[in-house]
Amino acid sequence: AQSVTQPDIHITVSEGASLELRCNYSYGATPYLFWYVQSPGQGLQLLLKYFSGDTLVQGIKGFEAEFKRSQSSFNLRKPSVHWSDAAEYFCAVSSGGSYIPTFGRGTSLIVHP
Amino acid sequence: GAGVSQSPSNKVTEKGKDVELRCDPISGHTALYWYRQSLGQGLEFLIYFQGNSAPDKSGLPSDRFSAERTGGSVSTLTIQRTQQEDSAVYLCASSLGQGGQETQYFGPGTRLLVL
């Protein structure tokens, strides 16, 4: 069965600092990987996704993520965080044979001015 | 275009009462999902609809939970005899097709509080 681990429940950064949110997955074949963001009181919005090809994926709002098969990771990065990035971030994994993605428990990002 | 909408936004009910939560997916999206998000938890899959196929109900936590999708569009999640542990945010999502590569588009959720 596929699983997703987001080891950090909360991350606090200063505005303008760089950010990396960790995501590790467990799945035998090449997975489909997603990062979603949830602002307070809102639903989830897709930031980026990886299926195949270039392992560095660019997304919206200046985010990027890198797929590392050897580490079973798909970490989300942003070089300079803005206060509006404060939100909950979810990593998700699925596969060609599974139409139901598995979501991690989420990482709450707090941005200090 | 319009996104996924859900109603009501908030629902407060008394233990033992039934509630109905509504989801309007994006027009043309054939797949529809319901999830439950409890405080500090990730998304818990509840049920999945795809076109005219039989729904995947494998995530429903008990027989008090049911859902239907009429005409391949609007969906209603019903919780009978609500319990306090049913308090959560219920999220609906739709996608254009089925398959693991599809992007899900989420509604804002219904916040359910059972007193």
Side-chain angles (χ1 to χ4, degrees):
Chain A
Q2 58 198 30
S3 66
V4 178
T5 302
Q6 292 182 248
D8 303 305
I9 298 175
H10 302 284
I11 290 280
T12 301
V13 298
S14 297
E15 190 170 16
S18 63
L19 170 70
E20 183 170 35
L21 302 182
R22 296 183 290 167
C23 172
N24 293 95
Y25 67 91
S26 173
Y27 185 68
T30 299
Y32 299 140
L33 294 159
F34 305 79
W35 275 101
Y36 287 87
V37 61
Q38 184 180 32
S39 298
Q42 303 295 315
L44 280 69
Q45 178 186 21
L46 180 72
L47 284 174
L48 47 78
K49 58 186 178 182
Y50 171 80
F51 298 153
S52 65
D54 192 348
T55 57
L56 185 62
V57 181
Q58 301 297 320
I60 63 171
K61 304 184 180 186
F63 285 92
E64 66 177 26
E66 186 171 11
F67 170 59
K68 293 185 177 180
R69 183 189 301 275
S70 61
Q71 299 177 18
S72 296
S73 70
F74 188 58
N75 294 348
L76 182 70
R77 302 193 295 247
K78 186 170 185 178
S80 178
V81 170
H82 188 262
W83 63 267
S84 60
D85 293 324
E88 191 85 14
Y89 291 81
F90 292 92
C91 181
V93 62
S94 67
S95 67
S98 171
Y99 42 77
I100 301 171
T102 299
F103 285 83
R105 296 182 64 168
T107 297
S108 177
L109 175 64
I110 301 166
V111 180
H112 281 315
Chain B
V4 178
S5 61
Q6 293 186 246
S7 60
S9 300
N10 297 279
K11 177 71 176 179
V12 181
T13 191
E14 295 179 347
K15 178 181 174 182
K17 295 288 181 67
D18 298 351
V19 296
E20 284 190 351
L21 312 180
R22 177 188 169 105
C23 172
D24 284 87
I26 293 173
S27 178
H29 279 196
T30 61
L32 187 148
Y33 302 75
W34 282 98
Y35 295 92
R36 179 168 68 178
Q37 185 179 25
S38 302
L39 190 63
Q41 302 294 315
L43 272 67
E44 175 189 6
F45 164 75
L46 297 177
I47 188 168
Y48 165 76
F49 295 90
Q50 171 57 41
N52 296 320
S53 302
D56 181 338
K57 304 178 181 180
S58 60
L60 294 178
S62 77
D63 58 8
R64 296 186 296 105
F65 288 73
S66 64
E68 63 177 19
R69 188 179 185 191
T70 54
S73 180
V74 173
S75 177
T76 302
L77 177 69
T78 301
I79 308 174
Q80 296 178 310
R81 305 179 303 281
T82 53
Q83 303 295 311
Q84 289 182 333
E85 59 263 30
D86 298 334
S87 297
V89 176
Y90 289 82
L91 293 168
C92 174
S94 69
S95 63
L96 188 59
Q98 68 177 30
Q101 76 280 11
E102 291 289 337
T103 296
Q104 296 192 4
Y105 296 83
F106 285 81
T110 293
R111 285 150 190 80
L112 175 65
L113 177 61
V114 182
L115 301 176

